[in-house]
């Protein structure tokens, strides 16, 4: 346990990591043994017939691969306050609500002290590597972090998003202090009941401590971009507050107001300085280093569904390095970014072999494509044969399976990763995409990543007009035959019909998988449709998720809006300003 003000010994942390990763296979065996010993008395494992065996071979033979749906009844009983051990030996006292932005609704997953410890371990590990290249000393961090609304389950367990469970843990603050990156905002702002008000106050705190800020961060990069987009709207109001030393009346929560009152003193010089800085920027390029002259880097998850925000983030950051944070989920952590000098597009995550037991389903071998006579392809998943952590092959793609200290056994996370190399004997993974996010009508299959690449390509056409895609999503419309892809775009300003028509054609041409192209050619899939939505539409989607108990810190725009996500589809469809059909084929 860390004592307050204890500073991390980064060389020791790196040394421990090196030792552990040199022996990843054994560490995995030991980790599985510990998980099964600690939780062997739980009903779920008792029913599997392990009879005290803890070796990987018996484990794989007895325990089936599961999805969240399979475990839902067990987790529900835990949440309802079941007295006997269900999934873990020790009782679970807290439930995490995963952001649910990929499925449409938040999911319950168990959270416990062991998960908190692995959170700290991964934070410390990546910090150690980061600090070697980008040292921070007695700095403050402008962290755009927010707690969710929390509630109690029927059984009286605390339920909040995973990040909320981490932020409210007393170990979190100590860890931040130990990493010399204390949040510049008071706790009342982080836990404030209204995210818009908290965001405004985070910005204000950042400006008050502008010279001390060495780090700008959030859990996911989306929140940083959202924060600076908001800054563009409210900077004059922020300056007024600083000049007068009085908080805008828009901030209404007494706890937040009184916490901010302690920091805010009339400071006309600072207000003038910020105004001067803002007025000399061209289109807000380089805003972050201009406001925070001592910032060393920008930190947050920047891979996967966050990649589309990198362009805007780079615009605000100018030459301040962007460093992607680690790879994990509400279900458990997976890997740390130990090569912080790599740009986010090349970031990999080295798996920590002691924070869980990991298996990987090879995607090449498990999906057999059968061309049927009528031209349809069915994807026959043979019984997946996962491989162990040290058995994965460089260049191959896998689906991640987690066995955790928090009651998940052989749990299919649904993420696709690619093995890029090894650090000692532990693999370094690149995040590819969510497995279930797939645009498909008949023989075509396009993933979240394919969609992202198509949008990037088409967005180049509006970049020539100094416009950008603020956010995007997709759907397949099969209400008429043939069905077709629908791409929703929110863009930053006016773009001519001519250019948008060309964007629509470009999107259609950019899905290059053979199934799509061949279907389009024979009109088995109809012309792609680009629907441009009014500005602010994606904000409405964010607000919708916040209403469901999600939190901005963990928000990921759903890139595919399927039938399980009717409300979001409705928001998108209700806000269409213009639409175009492709003439590319
Ligand atoms: P949640 O549990 O709601 O916070 O979502 C977890 C999911 O976020 C993971 O399963 C991934 O799909 C995604 N995710 C988490 N960390 C990363 C990362 N470093 N890069 C890309 N995607 C990530």
């Amino acid at each position: 346990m860390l004592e307050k003000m204890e500073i991390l010994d980064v060389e020791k942390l790196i040394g421990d990591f090196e030792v552990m990763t040199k022996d990843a296979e054994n560490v995995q065996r030991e980790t599985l043994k510990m998980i099964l010993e600690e939780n062997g008395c739980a009903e779920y494992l008792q029913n599997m017939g392990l009879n005290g065996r803890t070796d990987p071979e018996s484990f794989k033979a007895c325990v089936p691969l599961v999805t969240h749906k399979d475990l839902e009844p067990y987790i529900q009983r835990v949440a309802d306050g079941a007295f006997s051990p269900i999934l873990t030996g020790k009782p679970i006292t807290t439930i995490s609500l995963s952001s649910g932005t990929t499925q449409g609704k938040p999911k319950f997953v168990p959270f416990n002290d062991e998960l908190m410890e692995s959170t700290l371990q991964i934070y410390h590990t990546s910090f150690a590597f980061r600090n070697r290249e980008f040292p921070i000393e007695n700095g403050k961090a402008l962290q755009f972090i927010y707690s969710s609304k929390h509630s109690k389950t029927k059984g009286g367990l605390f339920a909040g998003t995973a990040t909320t469970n981490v932020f409210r843990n007393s170990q979190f603050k100590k860890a931040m202090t130990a990493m010399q990156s204390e949040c510049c905002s008071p706790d009342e702002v982080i836990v404030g009941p209204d995210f818009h008000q908290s965001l405004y106050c985070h910005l204000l705190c950042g400006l008050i401590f502008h010279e001390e800020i060495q780090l700008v961060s959030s859990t996911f990069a989306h929140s940083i971009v959202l924060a600076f987009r908001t800054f563009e709207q409210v900077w004059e109001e922020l300056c007024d507050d600083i000049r007068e030393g009085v908080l805008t009346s828009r901030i209404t929560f007494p706890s937040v107001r009184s916490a901010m009152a302690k920091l805010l003193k009339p400071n006309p010089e600072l207000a003038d300085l910020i105004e001067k800085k803002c007025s000399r920027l061209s289109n807000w390029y380089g805003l972050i280093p201009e406001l925070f002259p001592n910032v060393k880097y920008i930190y947050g998850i920047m891979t996967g569904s966050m990649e589309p925000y990198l362009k805007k983030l780079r615009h605000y950051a100018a030459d301040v390095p962007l460093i992607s944070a680690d790879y994990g989920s509400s279900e458990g952590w997976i890997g740390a970014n130990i090569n912080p000098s790599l740009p986010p597009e090349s970031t990999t995550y080295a798996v920590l072999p002691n924070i869980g037991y990991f298996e990987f389903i090879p995607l090449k071998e498990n999906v057999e494509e059968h061309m049927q006579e009528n031209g349809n392809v069915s994807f026959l998943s043979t019984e997946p044969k996962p491989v162990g952590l040290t058995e994965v092959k460089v260049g191959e793609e896998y689906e991640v399976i987690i066995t955790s200290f928090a009651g998940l056994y052989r749990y299919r996370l649904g993420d696709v990763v690619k093995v890029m190399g090894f650090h000692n004997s532990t693999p370094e993974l690149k995040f590819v995409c969510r497995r279930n996010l797939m645009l498909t009508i008949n023989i075509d299959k396009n993933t979240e990543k394919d969609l992202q690449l198509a949008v990037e390509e088409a967005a180049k056409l509006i970049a020539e007009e100094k416009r950008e895609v603020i956010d995007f999503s997709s759907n397949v419309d099969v209400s008429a035959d043939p069905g077709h892809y629908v791409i929703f775009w929110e863009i930053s300003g006016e773009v001519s019909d001519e250019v948008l028509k060309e964007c629509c054609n470009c999107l259609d041409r950019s899905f290059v998988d053979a199934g799509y192209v061949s279907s389009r050619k024979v009109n088995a899939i109809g012309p792609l449709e680009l629907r441009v939505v009014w500005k602010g539409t994606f904000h409405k989607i964010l607000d919708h998720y916040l209403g469901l108990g999600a939190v901005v810190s963990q928000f990921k725009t759903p890139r595919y809006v399927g039938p399980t996500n009717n409300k979001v589809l409705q928001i998108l469809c209700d806000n269409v300003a213009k639409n175009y059909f492709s003439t590319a084929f």
Side-chain angles (χ1 to χ4, degrees):
M1 295 281 145
L2 288 162
E3 290 308 316
K4 200 162 164 51
M5 293 314 289
E6 187 183 331
I7 302 302
L8 292 177
D9 181 345
V10 295
E11 291 310 322
K12 179 172 181 320
L13 280 164
I14 292 176
D16 291 348
F17 179 77
E18 293 298 334
V19 170
M20 183 173 64
T21 52
K22 279 186 182 138
D23 197 18
E25 192 184 340
N26 269 327
V27 175
Q28 278 282 275
R29 253 178 198 275
E30 281 307 305
T31 304
L32 179 64
K33 187 165 172 247
M34 273 166 70
I35 292 174
L36 296 180
E37 280 175 358
E38 272 180 29
N39 301 302
C41 64
E43 177 187 316
Y44 186 80
L45 288 178
Q46 286 280 311
N47 291 341
M48 297 295 165
L50 275 163
N51 298 326
R53 286 171 296 167
T54 60
D55 59 290
E57 295 71 26
S58 307
F59 177 62
K60 288 182 200 172
C62 295
V63 179
L65 295 174
V66 291
T67 61
H68 186 269
K69 206 158 182 278
D70 300 313
L71 291 188
E72 226 164 1
Y74 295 90
I75 300 174
Q76 195 58 53
R77 281 171 60 210
V78 172
D80 289 348
F83 188 68
S84 58
I86 308 279
L87 287 164
T88 50
K90 274 188 281 174
I92 295 280
T93 54
T94 306
I95 292 284
S96 287
L97 288 160
S98 85
S99 63
T101 40
T102 51
Q103 257 93 28
K105 65 175 173 47
K107 296 179 293 193
F108 273 8
V109 291
F111 182 90
N112 62 5
D113 290 347
E114 283 78 1
L115 211 51
M116 187 64 209
E117 263 172 42
S118 60
T119 305
L120 296 179
Q121 190 195 338
I122 210 151
Y123 281 4
H124 291 161
T125 304
S126 55
F127 172 79
F129 283 92
R130 211 160 59 241
N131 211 50
R132 209 156 61 167
E133 289 179 56
F134 303 96
I136 289 192
E137 260 173 63
N138 299 322
K140 281 201 189 307
L142 171 53
Q143 293 183 311
F144 295 103
I145 56 177
Y146 311 89
S147 284
S148 64
K149 289 183 199 130
H150 42 253
S151 54
K152 288 263 164 114
T153 67
K154 194 172 137 198
L157 279 68
F158 181 94
T161 57
T163 42
T164 302
N165 293 337
V166 170
F167 300 154
R168 65 187 273 278
N169 191 297
S170 60
Q171 293 294 315
F172 174 73
K173 252 198 135 126
K174 288 184 190 165
M176 285 299 139
T177 309
M179 295 193 278
Q180 306 186 50
S181 33
E182 218 170 331
C183 183
C184 67
S185 307
D187 289 350
E188 290 82 351
V189 169
I190 300 169
V191 303
D194 178 90
F195 130 78
H196 299 277
Q197 297 194 15
S198 292
L199 165 50
Y200 183 93
C201 293
H202 277 315
L203 288 168
L204 194 52
C205 292
L207 296 177
I208 293 169
F209 294 107
H210 73 122
E211 284 188 330
E212 288 154 77
I213 300 293
Q214 295 196 14
L215 167 66
V216 173
S217 75
S218 75
T219 311
F220 285 95
H222 168 265
S223 312
I224 307 179
V225 171
L226 182 64
F228 288 101
R229 281 191 193 280
T230 306
F231 180 88
E232 290 185 29
Q233 312 294 323
V234 300
W235 66 279
E236 281 161 313
E237 202 175 345
L238 289 163
C239 286
D240 288 347
D241 290 5
I242 293 172
R243 188 179 311 285
E244 305 299 330
V246 180
L247 190 62
T248 169
S249 57
R250 274 204 297 134
I251 309 301
T252 51
F253 290 98
S255 58
V256 180
R257 287 197 72 85
S258 64
M260 289 303 294
K262 290 186 193 135
L263 298 177
L264 202 54
K265 304 276 170 301
N267 192 341
E269 296 79 29
L270 178 59
D272 287 345
L273 181 72
I274 296 163
E275 273 174 2
K276 208 162 90 204
K277 283 169 181 277
C278 290
S279 51
R280 71 170 171 239
L281 288 173
S282 160
N283 196 21
W284 303 101
Y285 178 81
L287 173 62
I288 294 176
E290 192 66 46
L291 293 179
F292 312 110
N294 297 312
V295 67
K296 300 281 194 308
Y297 54 89
I298 296 165
Y299 188 64
I301 293 173
M302 296 178 188
T303 46
S305 61
M306 294 298 127
E307 274 180 38
Y309 307 110
L310 286 176
K311 196 160 175 242
K312 189 68 181 174
L313 194 52
R314 284 215 167 88
H315 182 84
Y316 288 134
D319 48 13
V320 178
L322 305 185
I323 306 180
S324 185
D326 306 316
Y327 171 33
S329 65
S330 307
E331 288 87 342
W333 286 99
I334 298 150
N337 178 4
I338 58 164
N339 296 305
S341 50
L342 289 179
E345 289 84 352
S346 317
T347 296
T348 58
Y349 302 101
V351 180
L352 268 65
N354 73 337
I355 53 176
Y357 181 74
F358 298 101
E359 295 171 77
F360 297 86
I361 301 178
L363 292 183
K364 223 167 68 181
E365 288 158 29
N366 283 304
V367 178
E368 288 177 7
E369 297 181 5
H370 291 270
M371 186 65 76
Q372 293 171 349
E373 278 180 4
N374 64 4
N376 277 341
V377 167
S378 59
F379 301 101
L380 293 185
S381 283
T382 53
E383 184 52 29
K385 286 198 201 74
V387 297
L389 179 71
T390 53
E391 293 164 341
V392 293
K393 294 200 183 95
V394 174
E396 298 291 316
E397 290 190 359
Y398 298 88
E399 181 187 337
V400 181
I401 301 170
I402 295 188
T403 294
S404 75
F405 283 94
L408 305 179
Y409 308 98
R410 309 197 79 205
Y411 176 97
R412 295 175 73 154
L413 191 59
D415 286 345
V416 177
V417 294
K418 183 171 182 176
V419 178
M420 304 306 286
F422 280 86
H423 181 86
N424 296 320
S425 59
T426 202
E428 292 189 304
L429 309 174
K430 186 173 173 61
F431 182 89
V432 179
C433 59
R434 298 282 304 165
R435 192 173 179 181
N436 61 351
L437 289 181
M438 185 93 90
L439 283 164
T440 177
I441 291 176
N442 50 48
I443 61 170
D444 52 311
K445 53 178 179 113
N446 281 297
T447 64
E448 179 187 7
K449 184 81 194 175
D450 299 319
L451 171 65
Q452 183 193 318
L453 294 175
V455 170
E456 262 171 32
E457 204 46 43
K460 286 182 190 158
L461 299 171
I462 62 166
E464 287 166 17
E465 311 211 343
K466 303 235 169 323
R467 297 286 182 254
E468 56 184 323
V469 177
I470 294 178
D471 227 329
F472 63 94
S473 190
S474 69
N475 168 245
V476 291
D477 183 349
V478 286
S479 59
D481 197 34
H484 67 276
Y485 287 14
V486 180
I487 312 295
F488 296 92
W489 268 15
E490 180 174 325
I491 45 188
S492 59
E494 281 302 308
V495 178
S496 69
D497 285 341
E498 223 171 60
V499 173
L500 287 169
K501 264 185 213 155
E502 210 24 66
C503 290
C504 181
N505 290 343
C506 179
L507 284 165
D508 204 7
R509 278 193 303 265
S510 300
F511 289 105
V512 289
D513 96 279
Y516 185 74
V517 176
S518 59
S519 301
R520 282 288 292 118
K521 280 187 180 153
V522 297
N523 207 31
I525 295 180
L528 180 144
E529 183 182 356
L530 170 62
R531 294 187 193 167
V532 178
V533 296
W534 297 111
K535 215 164 165 198
T537 302
F538 280 85
H539 215 105
K540 288 186 186 164
I541 294 176
L542 170 66
D543 284 337
H544 162 71
Y545 279 108
L546 298 185
L548 290 180
V551 66
V552 184
S553 303
Q554 268 171 272
F555 181 73
K556 300 162 212 70
T557 296
R559 299 291 180 213
Y560 173 77
V561 183
T564 55
N565 216 342
N566 254 331
K567 179 68 193 146
V568 176
L569 188 57
Q570 198 185 331
I571 297 174
L572 286 167
C573 294
D574 288 351
N575 285 282
V576 175
K578 305 180 201 172
N579 69 326
Y580 305 88
F581 283 95
S582 161
T583 51
F585 285 86

